[in-house]
Amino acid sequence: MPFAHRLKLLQSNVFAEMDQAKAGAKRAGQSIVDLSLGSSDLPVAPHVLGAIAAALPDPDSHGYCLFSGTAAFRAAAARWYGDRFGVSVDPETEVLLLIGSQEGTAHLPLAVLNPGDIALVTDPGYPSHAGGVHLASGQIYPLVLRPEHDFLPQFQEIPPAILDQSRLLILSYPHNPTAATASLAFWRSAVAFCQQYDLVLAHDFPYADLCFTGQPAVSALQADRQKTVTVEFFSFSKSYNMGGFRIGYAIGKAEIIQALRQIKASVDFNQYPGIQQGAIAALTGPQDNVNHTIATYRQRRDAAVAAFLRYDWAVARPQATPYLWVRLPEDWSQRSMEFCTRLVANTGVALAPGIGFGNAGEGYVRIALVQDSEVLEQAVERLCQFCQAATSPYSPGQTGG
Ligand SMILES: Cc1ncc(COP(=O)(O)O)c(C=O)c1O
């Protein structure tokens, strides 16, 4: 039976292969330490769960939820942005509820691109950014992120012919997988670039809170207060450990919000109102749980980096995100997939191969800090011992993100 050509472009072989490798290792008796996914192991705050539980018996929460039904949520999101970033937001026209940030970034290209239009997408980057461009039959121009440029894109390297056909720039900082961060100066340059070439600037911002410097991450809207080109995507999955609840929002230029809303009106009826109540409680209630989440990831980061150092492996200490981006020893520099499948088969430790995030991710692995420090330290030890046994002579990689 023939299916659409785009299915080929959406094949995520790497993660399917890792799934199989994990299942195979489990069958062979390995106990799996799964650090391959960024799914939080930390708890949702009780007041958030309480708000959802309180909504559950209410029959008003059981029907379809149209746009007007999301007003309280949009108001809470707009207020949070004002308080956090000093950006004033109209909840009626500049906020849109999403079923997770991934849903929004994957649908946005349908609203922005005509078939064949180019989207500028980072490589490495979060796979659904490219996925959404494929869904819209757009073309991808990869912005290769290099460690010597702090994993920030170099806009001046993009050929003019590409810029002529480009309609969309998709960025995400703090960045998955490299853990790089972006300054306000960078965002000003990105906004100016999009204004110059008439591009929509989409900023995927799920790690807004997960910074270890004491300062929250910079919003792209701080560099585009008039909302001339920007739409930003916020998620409840990371700050509030609510990945399974599937809720987020888009915030930014009214015309972009309206266009995305039109696409979504053909697709869904918004997230369940009870979960919206939980998200409102998350934004407006006590933030101790967020602070605990940040402190936990910081401590895990330090424990994992120290464990690498005990094997003379200097891994960068990221300023943000629950990830370490680790360059593999030279022998594995073109084989991150094979490295990860062999590592899980031999040790039970599952990591994400860098190639899964784009060609420029080859030679790296991403470690998600989603287990306790002791477990992470043991996993790093097993990884280093695996490298020593499998690599001859042993030569640790250089620092990553
Ligand atoms: C860059 C990025 N965007 C989006 C997501 C998913 O967010 P959500 O759960 O809100 O769809 C992730 C999850 O890891 C991510 O790293």
Side-chain angles (χ1 to χ4, degrees), residues 2 27 35 38 45 84 98 147 153 160 173 188 209 231 262 324 326 345 391:
R27 276 196 305 276
L35 309 177
R84 166 67 64 94
L98 299 172
Y173 290 95
R188 290 201 173 116
D209 283 299
V231 59
Q262 235 175 301
L324 297 186
V326 177
T391 308

Side-chain angles (χ1 to χ4, degrees), residues 162-357:
I162 296 293
L163 288 169
D164 284 347
Q165 292 180 69
S166 298
R167 289 289 302 121
L168 175 63
L169 169 63
I170 307 176
L171 298 175
S172 181
Y173 290 95
H175 186 247
N176 177 10
T178 67
T181 54
S183 65
L184 184 55
F186 169 79
W187 284 116
R188 290 201 173 116
S189 72
V191 169
F193 171 72
C194 289
Q195 287 169 335
Q196 183 179 354
Y197 294 100
D198 199 17
L199 304 175
V200 168
L201 171 57
H203 180 216
D204 193 8
F205 199 31
Y207 303 101
D209 283 299
L210 297 193
C211 292
F212 310 127
T213 55
Q215 295 297 315
V218 180
S219 158
L221 288 174
Q222 288 174 275
D224 187 14
R225 289 175 181 277
Q226 301 309 312
K227 307 180 200 82
T228 60
V229 290
T230 306
V231 59
E232 191 154 86
F233 295 86
F234 183 88
S235 168
F236 289 78
S237 301
K238 311 296 175 181
S239 306
Y240 303 104
N241 305 317
M242 290 174 72
F245 290 87
R246 311 308 304 130
I247 187 159
Y249 59 85
I251 193 157
K253 184 180 171 75
E255 286 88 339
I256 306 174
I257 294 290
Q258 169 58 21
L260 183 54
R261 193 177 143 192
Q262 235 175 301
I263 297 293
K264 277 177 59 67
S266 303
V267 179
D268 66 63
F269 280 109
N270 294 310
Q271 183 48 274
Y272 167 59
I275 291 176
Q276 291 181 50
Q277 288 304 322
I280 293 170
L283 290 176
T284 59
Q287 299 297 297
D288 324 18
N289 213 54
V290 183
N291 295 331
H292 174 258
T293 297
I294 297 167
T296 303
Y297 282 129
R298 186 196 287 122
Q299 195 241 332
R300 290 175 178 183
R301 171 202 67 175
D302 290 345
V305 168
F308 271 108
L309 263 185
R310 289 197 282 278
Y311 284 80
D312 290 332
W313 192 333
V315 167
R317 182 186 304 262
Q319 306 276 297
T321 81
Y323 305 116
L324 297 186
W325 184 237
V326 177
R327 188 178 280 181
L328 291 171
E330 204 52 50
D331 286 16
W332 296 99
S333 66
Q334 294 304 311
R335 297 185 291 151
S336 61
M337 184 71 232
E338 186 189 341
F339 179 87
C340 288
T341 49
R342 283 181 56 184
L343 181 72
V344 75
N346 279 272
T347 68
V349 175
L351 307 180
I355 188 71
F357 301 93

